Amino acid sequence: MSILELKNVSYAYKGGDGKVLNGVNASFEKGIMYAVMGKSGAGKSTLLSLISGLDLPTEGEILFDGTDLKTVSRDAYRAKSIGVIFQSFNLLTNATVIDNIILSMNISGVKGGNKEAAYALLEKVGIDKSKANRKVLKLSGGEQQRVGIARALSHAPDIIIADEPSGNLDGSTEDSVMQLFKDLAVKDNKCVIIVTHSKNVAACADEVLSINNGVLSPMKRSKLLK
C-alpha cells in the first residue's frame, strides 16, 4: 500500500508563464528506495517542495497515508512524518553533533528524546560518541552528511527525502552513504526518495523516475548505462 500518492498534481507560480509540474501521478511505498532524475529547471525542486509539505499543488492531490495534505497541518506533517536531508547539510556548525540531534528531537516533540537516544541514533549512521561530542565544523563532509541523515531520522518519519545527497561527497563516501539509504528502506521499512543528477546514485535505487518538462515518468535502467 502506498504511503504517499500524487494524483494529477500540477503546479504553476503566480505570474508564471506555465506549469512547472503538469499532471503528475505517482505512488511511493515503504520499503523501497526511489530516485528522481532530471535536468536543472525540470521541476525537481518544485516536486520536492510539494512532497515535503512546504507548498501545495495548484491542481490535484498529494495524499499521505490516504489523507490529502490540504486537509491537515503541514507543520505537523513535516515535524512527524517526513525527514529531509539537504545537499548542504543545513546543520548548526558551531554546535556539537549531539546538540544538533537533540534540538531536532525537541522541535519535533519526540518522547524520550534524551542524549542516550541521540547517541544511539548517531551510532546507527556510523558516528561514535567521540565524534558526537565534537562541533559539526570539525567533521568531514561525509560525516556531516551522516549527521544530516540522523537528524532526519530523529522523529522516526515514514518518508525520507534526500536532495542531491552525494553532491558534496567523493566516490567512496558516496557509496557508504547510499548503502545507509538502502538500509533505511530495506531494514527499517522507510520510503526513501532521492532527488539526484547522478546516474551512479540513481543506479542504487529500486525504482528510478525521470522528470522532464514538468512530467514525471518511469525511467528504463538502460538509460543509466549511457
Side-chain angles (χ1 to χ4, degrees):
M1 180 179 174
S2 299
I3 188 69
L4 184 72
E5 284 187 87
L6 282 68
K7 292 188 174 182
N8 201 32
V9 167
S10 296
Y11 187 87
Y13 291 103
K14 291 182 179 179
D17 295 331
K19 294 178 178 179
V20 182
L21 295 177
N22 190 8
V24 170
N25 290 284
S27 61
F28 301 92
E29 298 179 11
K30 294 167 71 173
I32 296 177
M33 184 166 81
Y34 301 86
V36 178
M37 296 192 73
K39 297 179 180 178
S40 296
K44 296 193 308 298
S45 295
T46 302
L47 180 66
L48 195 68
S49 177
L50 296 180
I51 289 176
S52 59
L54 293 172
D55 206 346
L56 291 171
T58 310
E59 301 171 23
E61 297 176 321
I62 298 177
L63 307 177
F64 170 72
D65 205 16
T67 301
D68 192 339
L69 291 186
K70 291 178 182 176
T71 67
V72 300
S73 165
R74 286 184 287 131
D75 289 337
Y77 168 69
R78 290 193 298 271
K80 306 285 186 183
S81 303
I82 194 163
V84 181
I85 300 159
F86 303 93
Q87 178 183 354
S88 56
F89 313 136
N90 285 19
L91 300 168
L92 300 176
T93 56
N94 280 315
T96 64
V97 170
I98 195 72
D99 285 342
N100 270 265
I101 303 304
I102 290 173
L103 176 62
S104 178
M105 288 177 164
N106 290 340
I107 290 172
S108 297
V110 175
K111 293 181 179 178
N114 54 40
K115 186 169 283 191
E116 288 308 311
Y119 279 130
L121 192 55
L122 287 164
E123 187 73 31
K124 179 183 179 70
V125 299
I127 299 293
D128 60 26
K129 276 194 175 184
S130 174
K131 290 177 180 176
N133 288 308
R134 295 180 191 174
K135 287 189 175 181
V136 169
L137 54 80
K138 298 292 185 181
L139 302 184
S140 69
E143 289 166 342
Q144 290 189 40
Q145 186 63 285
R146 289 171 181 269
V147 176
I149 294 170
R151 182 184 57 186
L153 292 171
S154 64
H155 51 283
D158 290 310
I159 301 170
I160 297 290
I161 293 178
D163 183 13
E164 297 287 358
S166 66
N168 293 319
L169 306 178
D170 60 38
S172 60
T173 306
E174 176 186 284
D175 290 342
S176 63
V177 168
M178 292 311 299
Q179 186 59 52
L180 268 176
F181 286 125
K182 191 72 174 176
D183 289 345
L184 288 174
V186 175
K187 296 181 180 180
D188 294 349
N189 199 35
K190 304 291 185 186
C191 172
V192 179
I193 303 171
I194 298 173
V195 176
T196 183
H197 285 95
S198 169
K199 289 184 177 180
N200 290 335
V201 169
C204 298
D206 300 303
E207 296 188 22
V208 183
L209 303 170
S210 173
I211 188 165
N212 187 31
N213 294 324
V215 177
L216 190 68
S217 57
M219 175 184 277
K220 293 182 179 179
R221 286 196 170 270
S222 58
K223 290 189 176 182
L224 298 176
L225 303 177
K226 295 181 180 179

